[in-house]
Amino acid sequence: MRVLIVGAGIAGPTLAYWLLRSGHHVTLVEQAPELRRGGYLIDFSGAGFDVADRMGIVPELRRRGYVLDEARAVDRDGRRIAAIKPAAIMGSMQRYVSIARSDLAAVIFEALEDAAELMLGDSVRTLVDDGNQVRVTFDSGQDRTFDLVVGADGLHSRVRRMIFGPDVQFEKYLDMVVAAFEVRGYRPRDELTALMHADVGFQALRLSLRDDVTLCLLTVAHRGSAPIGNRATQHELLRTALAGAGWETPALLELMPEATTFYFDAVSQIRMPSWARGRVALVGDAAAGPSFLAGQGSALAMVESYTLAAELARCSDHRDAFARYQQRLAPFLRSKQDAAIGLAPAFAPKTRLQLLLRNTVMRLMGLPKVPDLVMGRSFRDAVELPTFAAS
Ligand SMILES: Cc1cc2nc3c(=O)[nH]c(=O)nc-3n(C[C@H](O)[C@H](O)[C@H](O)COP(=O)(O)OP(=O)(O)OC[C@H]3O[C@@H](n4cnc5c(N)ncnc54)[C@H](O)[C@@H]3O)c2cc1C
């Protein structure tokens, strides 16, 4: 089949990889002029790790990734409140790696070995599904036809809007925004340690990466719509929300305009009754974004793409494949979404009481066995990956 995948983030190239394995002809269209860099450091484990393993990319993920020694919560003067060893949460660490989102995206893309057609700086303008094929008009003016179209175009998916309806029907905004940016030469550095400072309404985190890069991740409570797409307004929102914040937050904010990469988005979930209509389906954040709070959006996106491709390989009719893809994953993803909402107070406590609770839980997480009790389950995925029957 000729399959058009819209969006070359994490879900799109993963789907392309597996569809190519079944002999489909794949076209990837990405609206950015080049593959996008930036973003946070992803804790990569669970079923997503298993998909990466099946793709043979784990050695490269380990080479580019990090195994953190410590996640340390500090107060406004930088004094340690609590320290957690990621190894205590992830168990043996055999099937876990922390990796920058952009490195994960790059490694997946490299695994395609140029076998997919890539259209950069373009997007879909119209989609007409006539029952036998989908006629697509691109922003660049081209007209083409495909057997299937898959929207892997993220939280604010255009494919979803065009085929399923406006965002308001599906987007659950969690009254929080997230910003991630990288700066060079920041001091101090703490190798392999994530430092976190939270107060009412926010959390600021910094992490020293290779090549003298520091990654800063800010999560800020914000009611009302998030300013998507306007960098100056995003900076202003962060500066206002973090005025008076302690620890190193002022220094990090001062460097924000010089950031080498900058990512900003609403913290939202996508909850849809169905991920497919006719010959068009959705994967990744576009279909079932669990939000930043789940800490697993990329790994889950890979699981969705793998499962969709495996079902398309197994079923002769795409309608059956789409239905089985949804049946297999919908309850699992819903449980991830529900669990993520419970973690919101850790990233932007709303009250002093929530802050106190967060800090107490973090202290307890430093004790033996507690991390596994509190977090362990969320890193062991209750989902079985289908076998992949390549043609
Ligand atoms: C640069 C970047 C940085 C990120 N950093 C963070 C972060 O710090 N914290 C966080 O919680 N999540 C972040 N995310 C989101 C995170 O990557 C996803 O939650 C997760 O990986 C699911 O992947 P996805 O492929 O479904 O979506 P994404 O990784 O968001 O990929 C979607 C892709 O589709 C492209 N696209 C969007 N609209 C169109 C269109 N109309 N036509 C064609 N292409 C389109 C986008 O440019 C992007 O490449 C980031 C996403 C990006 C793109």
Side-chain angles (χ1 to χ4, degrees), residues 7 10-11 30-31 36-37 39-40 101 123 263 285 292 298:
I10 304 293
E30 163 62 48
Q31 75 176 1
R36 294 184 59 190
R37 291 198 53 75
Y40 55 161
R101 182 211 168 272
S123 185
Y263 167 82
D285 276 4
F292 163 76
S298 302

Side-chain angles (χ1 to χ4, degrees), residues 5-13 29-32 34-42 101-102 104 122-124 139 152-159 161 178-180 217 262-265 267 283-287 289-293 296-299 301-302:
I5 300 173
V6 184
I10 304 293
V29 60
E30 163 62 48
Q31 75 176 1
E34 55 187 34
L35 294 182
R36 294 184 59 190
R37 291 198 53 75
Y40 55 161
L41 199 78
I42 291 160
R101 182 211 168 272
S102 45
L104 174 64
D122 206 349
S123 185
V124 288
D139 284 344
D153 46 346
L155 194 57
H156 310 287
S157 168
R158 190 189 285 188
V159 175
R161 258 196 316 280
V178 55
L217 183 68
F262 185 82
Y263 167 82
F264 181 99
D265 211 336
V267 176
V283 281
D285 276 4
S291 85
F292 163 76
L293 307 174
Q296 276 187 304
S298 302
M302 292 179 74

Side-chain angles (χ1 to χ4, degrees), residues 101-112:
R101 182 211 168 272
S102 45
D103 283 336
L104 174 64
V107 172
I108 298 170
F109 191 79
E110 284 160 20
L112 298 180

Side-chain angles (χ1 to χ4, degrees), residues 138-367:
F138 291 88
D139 284 344
S140 57
Q142 284 189 60
D143 285 314
R144 292 180 53 183
T145 53
F146 296 89
D147 298 301
L148 300 178
V149 172
V150 182
D153 46 346
L155 194 57
H156 310 287
S157 168
R158 190 189 285 188
V159 175
R160 190 180 61 230
R161 258 196 316 280
M162 289 197 293
I163 300 293
F164 298 86
D167 292 353
V168 60
Q169 288 180 28
F170 312 116
E171 183 175 352
K172 185 175 169 64
Y173 175 55
L174 301 177
D175 291 333
M176 197 185 298
V177 294
V178 55
F181 57 90
E182 291 171 329
V183 292
R184 282 192 186 277
Y186 181 80
R187 294 292 179 275
R189 282 178 67 84
D190 295 80
E191 305 301 330
L192 301 179
T193 303
L195 281 119
M196 300 166 279
H197 169 59
D199 209 326
V200 174
F202 77 91
Q203 176 178 269
L205 179 154
R206 83 157 156 81
L207 187 62
S208 307
L209 302 182
R210 292 186 193 99
D211 303 324
D212 208 9
V213 170
T214 293
L215 172 72
C216 176
L217 183 68
L218 306 171
T219 37
V220 172
H222 177 74
R223 284 186 184 279
S225 63
I228 305 304
N230 184 331
R231 182 70 52 91
T233 319
Q234 293 164 354
H235 282 190
E236 192 50 37
L237 183 156
L238 294 169
R239 276 199 210 94
T240 308
L242 296 170
W247 182 54
E248 299 169 20
T249 319
L252 291 166
L253 283 176
E254 204 173 308
L255 287 174
M256 186 167 64
E258 295 158 33
T260 49
T261 62
F262 185 82
Y263 167 82
F264 181 99
D265 211 336
V267 176
S268 290
Q269 294 185 334
I270 299 299
R271 294 177 174 234
M272 303 182 73
S274 171
W275 304 332
R277 185 167 289 174
R279 292 182 165 271
V280 181
L282 301 172
V283 281
D285 276 4
S291 85
F292 163 76
L293 307 174
Q296 276 187 304
S298 302
L300 296 176
M302 292 179 74
V303 171
E304 289 161 56
S305 293
Y306 171 84
T307 304
L308 176 58
E311 293 301 346
L312 282 167
R314 171 187 311 204
C315 303
S316 51
D317 189 322
H318 69 275
R319 285 169 295 196
D320 297 335
F322 288 171
R324 288 174 60 101
Y325 155 60
Q326 173 127 11
Q327 272 160 17
R328 272 187 179 277
L329 293 182
F332 166 65
L333 290 169
R334 186 49 63 92
S335 73
K336 290 284 177 190
Q337 292 184 322
D338 291 344
I341 288 181
L343 293 173
F347 291 94
K350 283 193 180 130
T351 59
R352 290 255 143 238
L353 183 61
Q354 280 193 354
L355 178 66
L356 189 72
L357 275 172
R358 169 199 180 270
N359 291 344
T360 306
V361 170
M362 294 199 85
R363 277 192 198 99
L364 290 172
M365 297 270 281
L367 301 175

Side-chain angles (χ1 to χ4, degrees), residues 1-5 11-27 112 116 148-150 305-313 322 388 390-391:
M1 285 193 287
R2 296 157 304 160
V3 185
L4 173 68
I5 300 173
T14 306
L15 180 64
Y17 174 92
W18 289 103
L19 290 178
L20 288 165
R21 287 275 299 265
S22 322
H24 298 297
H25 184 275
V26 178
T27 302
L112 298 180
L148 300 178
V149 172
V150 182
S305 293
Y306 171 84
T307 304
L308 176 58
E311 293 301 346
L312 282 167
F322 288 171
F388 193 86
S391 59

